[in-house]
């Protein structure tokens, strides 16, 4: 009897420990820059703003300068320069390429801890064979789209390919979602998140990767959200309407978690994948540059961490130390109780730090010291492009586009580029982005020792693993498969 009681007690402890594993909700908004939500008084985001008192904001939150590499870094825990996505952002869709299958993505890692993992929305990690799709990488379900952008209403995804037949991208786990296209993506994906939460077995921890399509081009929003704004430029009203859809999405997901009694054991992160594209819509003010550039405006985005799991003492605070989206991999692993050293090594070692002690106030110093924004060669034998930081100092040894400041909303009719500083490998720039986040003051000549140290580090990184060049596209195979799938996108190789 005593032995039986001990066994039962041990089983009870195991169940209790499993129940204590937090639900993890990661909401990644698309192409929404630094000057958004609580930082922008023009945005009507009452729900996200209300979470400020219940969460932690991170001022120096870093991502890659465009979509697919950010998403790959998040799901693999490796800096983007190791990934095939950095070369062309996995565009066009008819290239047979994706994030290396030898990396263990988050859902496969969290499965070891008993998590039920689901993907919603934008994928953009490759899909030429099924192995590269969300279910191939470990998710139990996926409702979204496989490419990097599409029409929000029709789900038309023809814009990077030249097939004779137009194609629709709406994916349901293992096959196209035939007949379900034609609804605004923001509505479809939000409803899917709510349905998943309401149907979830709360005996099992949940990982939900909700990759919103808003505010990616084309700039489209339902009229009721556009009508919330009354600016002179119609584009501005529509873009801001898209932002208000994002706010309602966060509200609906949060309220669903609360209705199910899951909120108290939930960690919810809301952030964005890169800066706003200044030629299309949005604002990264007061930062320099935007999507596609390695300036802070392209790589530094809003982040809000909230949920019942967050200690009371940290709610309503802002953290000023740097973190990178790669850091959530190790953080989630530690929260889930997964030993990442037991995972297959992949092409390069894990580069993720556990930032939970920093987020929760157990330490006041971020573990993230180095950030590699960019490190690659221009062509097989071209000049190296390197942008990296250590502590507050950021080396820009690369000629970067958009070296200007674009204001409260762009594009607009009055913007004039300010005088800019060009940087290069031969004559690099240096900025103190902790004290000069707008990158107005190039201090390279004042600190040649720091420039030398960071250039030396950039040379060291030339020996690190870099993904092979992308293969040629296969337009005929891709287009033939679109026809075979009755005009829908699907794995095609």
């Amino acid at each position: 009897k005593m032995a039986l009681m001990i066994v039962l007690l041990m089983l009870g402890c195991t169940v209790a420990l499993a129940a204590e594993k937090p639900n993890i909700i990661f909401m990644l908004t698309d192409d929404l820059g630094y000057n958004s939500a609580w930082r922008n008084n023009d945005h009507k985001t009452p729900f996200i703003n209300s979470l400020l008192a219940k969460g932690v904001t991170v001022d120096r939150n870093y991502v890659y300068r465009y979509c697919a590499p950010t998403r790959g870094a998040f799901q693999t825990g490796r800096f983007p320069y190791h990934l095939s996505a950095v070369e062309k952002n996995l565009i066009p869709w008819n290239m047979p390429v994706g994030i290396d299958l030898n990396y263990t993505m988050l859902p496969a890692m969290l499965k070891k801890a008993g998590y039920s993992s689901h993907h919603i929305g934008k994928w953009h990690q490759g899909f030429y064979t099924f192995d590269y799709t969300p279910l191939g990488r470990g998710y139990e379900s996926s409702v979204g789209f496989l490419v990097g952008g599409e029409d929000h209403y029709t789900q038309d995804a023809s814009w990077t390919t030249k097939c004779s037949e137009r194609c629709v991208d709406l994916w349901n786990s293992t096959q196209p979602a035939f007949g379900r296209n034609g609804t605004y993506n923001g509505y479809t994906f939000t409803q899917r998140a709510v349905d998943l939460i309401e149907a979830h077995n709360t005996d099992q921890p949940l990982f939900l990767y909700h990759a919103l399509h808003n505010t990616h081009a084309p700039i489209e929003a339902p009229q009721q959200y556009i009508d919330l704004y009354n600016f002179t430029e119609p584009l501005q009203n529509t873009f801001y309407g898209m932002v208000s859809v994002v706010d309602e999405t966060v509200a609906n997901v949060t309220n669903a978690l609360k209705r199910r009694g899951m909120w108290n054991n939930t960690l919810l992160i809301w952030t964005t994948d890169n800066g706003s594209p200044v030629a299309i819509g949005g604002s990264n003010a007061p930062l320099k540059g935007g999507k596609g550039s390695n300036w802070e405006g392209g790589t530094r985005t809003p982040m809000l961490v909230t949920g019942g799991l967050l200690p009371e003492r940290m709610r309503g605070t802002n953290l000023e130390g740097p973190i990178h989206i790669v850091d959530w991999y190790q953080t989630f692993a530690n929260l889930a109780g997964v030993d990442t050293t037991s995972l297959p090594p992949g092409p390069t070692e894990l580069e993720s730090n556990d930032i939970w002690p920093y987020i929760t106030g157990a330490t006041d110093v971020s573990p993230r010291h180095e950030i590699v924004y960019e490190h690659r060669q221009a062509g097989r034998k071209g000049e190296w492009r390197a942008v990296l930081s250590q502590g507050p100092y950021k080396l820009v040894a690369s000629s970067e586009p958009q070296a200007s400041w674009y204001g409260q909303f762009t594009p607009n009719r009055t913007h004039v580029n300010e005088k800019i500083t060009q940087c290069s490998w031969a004559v690099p720039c240096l900025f103190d982005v902790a004290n000069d986040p707008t990158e107005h003051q190039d201090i390279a000549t004042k600190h040649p020792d720091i420039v030398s140290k960071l250039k030396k580090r950039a040379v060291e990184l030339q020996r690190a693993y870099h993904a092979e060049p992308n293969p040629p596209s296969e337009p005929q195979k891709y287009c033939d498969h679109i026809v075979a799938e009755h005009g829908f996108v699907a794995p095609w190789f």
Side-chain angles (χ1 to χ4, degrees), residues 11-63:
L11 287 172
C13 289
T14 301
V15 171
L17 285 171
E20 289 171 2
K21 292 173 182 175
N23 305 302
I24 300 170
I25 314 295
F26 195 88
M27 305 186 75
L28 187 64
T29 303
D30 204 349
D31 283 7
L32 188 61
Y34 182 84
N35 185 27
S36 300
W38 63 89
R39 293 196 180 104
N40 191 325
N41 291 331
D42 291 339
H43 288 178
K44 297 183 187 301
T45 52
F47 190 83
I48 291 176
N49 294 357
S50 76
L51 292 177
L52 295 181
K54 306 166 188 174
V56 169
T57 54
V58 180
D59 187 60
R60 292 182 63 195
N61 172 60
Y62 288 99
V63 292

Side-chain angles (χ1 to χ4, degrees), residues 73-79 82 103-104 106 109 326-331 333-334 338-341 343-354 368:
F74 166 62
Q75 294 186 94
T76 66
R78 274 75 172 186
F79 276 123
H82 298 299
Y103 290 119
T104 303
L106 274 169
M109 180 269 285
V326 294
D327 292 324
W328 288 110
Y329 191 101
Q330 187 64 57
T331 303
N334 286 4
V338 176
D339 178 9
T340 54
T341 64
L343 300 174
T348 187
E349 64 184 18
L350 195 65
E351 294 169 309
S352 181
N353 293 321
D354 181 4
R368 171 56 59 197

Side-chain angles (χ1 to χ4, degrees), residues 27-40 43-45 48-49 61 63-67 71 122 212-217 219 229 236 238-247 250 270-278 280-285 287 289-291 296-303 408-409:
M27 305 186 75
L28 187 64
T29 303
D30 204 349
D31 283 7
L32 188 61
Y34 182 84
N35 185 27
S36 300
W38 63 89
R39 293 196 180 104
N40 191 325
H43 288 178
K44 297 183 187 301
T45 52
I48 291 176
N49 294 357
N61 172 60
V63 292
Y64 191 67
R65 60 192 176 96
Y66 50 71
C67 311
R71 296 157 198 274
K122 178 170 171 173
L212 291 73
H213 192 204
N214 284 22
T215 55
H216 194 285
I219 306 304
Y229 301 93
Q236 189 170 4
T238 305
F239 183 86
Y240 284 4
M242 296 179 84
V243 177
S244 290
V245 173
V246 171
D247 186 67
V250 176
W270 175 79
T271 187
T272 75
D273 65 340
N274 45 250
S276 289
V278 296
I280 295 173
S283 176
N284 309 298
L287 305 179
K291 178 182 180 178
E296 296 293 280
T299 59
R300 187 166 170 172
T301 64
M303 171 166 281
Q408 185 68 2
F409 183 80

Side-chain angles (χ1 to χ4, degrees), residues 165-180:
E165 181 170 337
R166 301 192 71 78
C167 58
V168 169
D169 190 357
L170 189 60
W171 183 251
N172 184 12
S173 294
T174 60
Q175 63 183 359
F178 296 113
R180 293 174 58 184

Side-chain angles (χ1 to χ4, degrees), residues 389-460:
S389 67
Q390 291 184 351
Y393 295 109
K394 175 181 176 181
L395 180 80
V396 181
S398 169
S399 178
E400 291 295 326
Q402 306 171 34
S404 190
W405 298 264
Y406 294 87
Q408 185 68 2
F409 183 80
T410 54
N412 60 59
R413 301 173 189 176
T414 61
H415 174 73
V416 178
N417 281 353
E418 298 186 33
K419 184 178 178 181
I420 62 174
T421 302
Q422 290 291 351
C423 314
S424 67
W425 180 260
V427 185
C429 303
L430 182 71
F431 301 94
D432 177 352
V433 291
N435 296 298
D436 176 29
T438 61
E439 296 170 293
H440 275 89
Q441 304 298 322
D442 177 10
I443 57 174
T445 58
K446 296 180 181 179
H447 297 282
D449 54 331
I450 298 174
V451 172
S452 177
K453 175 186 174 185
L454 291 174
K455 279 198 76 173
K456 181 179 179 181
R457 175 60 176 152
V459 171
E460 289 174 357

Side-chain angles (χ1 to χ4, degrees), residues 100-315:
D100 197 312
L101 296 175
N102 291 306
Y103 290 119
T104 303
M105 281 194 169
L106 274 169
M109 180 269 285
L110 290 172
K111 188 174 183 179
K112 297 178 179 296
Y115 273 75
S116 177
S117 297
H118 302 270
H119 163 261
I120 298 172
K122 178 170 171 173
W123 179 237
H124 203 186
Q125 297 290 274
F127 65 95
Y128 73 100
T129 70
F130 184 82
D131 288 345
Y132 289 90
T133 69
L135 266 67
R137 303 314 293 254
Y139 290 97
E140 294 177 28
S141 77
S142 170
V143 172
F145 61 100
L146 298 172
V147 302
E150 62 182 13
D151 187 277
H152 291 263
Y153 282 101
T154 66
Q155 289 73 56
D156 187 297
S158 305
W159 59 278
T160 75
T161 55
K162 302 297 182 184
C163 300
S164 58
E165 181 170 337
R166 301 192 71 78
C167 58
V168 169
D169 190 357
L170 189 60
W171 183 251
N172 184 12
S173 294
T174 60
Q175 63 183 359
F178 296 113
R180 293 174 58 184
N181 55 302
T183 300
Y184 189 70
N185 275 339
Y187 292 162
T188 300
F189 300 153
T190 302
Q191 188 59 53
R192 171 61 178 170
V194 170
D195 290 346
L196 273 172
I197 292 165
E198 290 181 344
H200 180 66
N201 177 3
T202 55
D203 291 335
Q204 187 177 18
L206 171 67
F207 171 52
L208 176 59
Y209 172 38
H210 187 163
L212 291 73
H213 192 204
N214 284 22
T215 55
H216 194 285
I219 306 304
E220 299 172 324
Q223 193 62 45
Q224 70 186 84
Y225 297 97
I226 298 172
D227 290 344
L228 295 173
Y229 301 93
N230 189 31
F231 291 92
T232 304
E233 296 286 348
L235 178 69
Q236 189 170 4
N237 296 325
T238 305
F239 183 86
Y240 284 4
M242 296 179 84
V243 177
S244 290
V245 173
V246 171
D247 186 67
E248 188 162 302
T249 296
V250 176
N252 289 343
V253 170
T254 299
N255 290 333
L257 290 163
K258 289 180 176 179
R259 284 197 303 272
R260 287 299 318 279
M262 296 167 64
W263 182 253
N264 288 343
N265 190 38
T266 288
L267 173 63
L268 187 149
I269 298 106
W270 175 79
T271 187
T272 75
D273 65 340
N274 45 250
S276 289
V278 296
I280 295 173
S283 176
N284 309 298
L287 305 179
K288 182 194 288 185
K291 178 182 180 178
S293 78
N294 282 302
W295 304 115
E296 296 293 280
T299 59
R300 187 166 170 172
T301 64
M303 171 166 281
L304 172 66
V305 182
T306 186
L309 198 68
L310 190 70
E312 192 80 37
R313 67 180 179 275
M314 292 303 293
R315 298 176 189 181

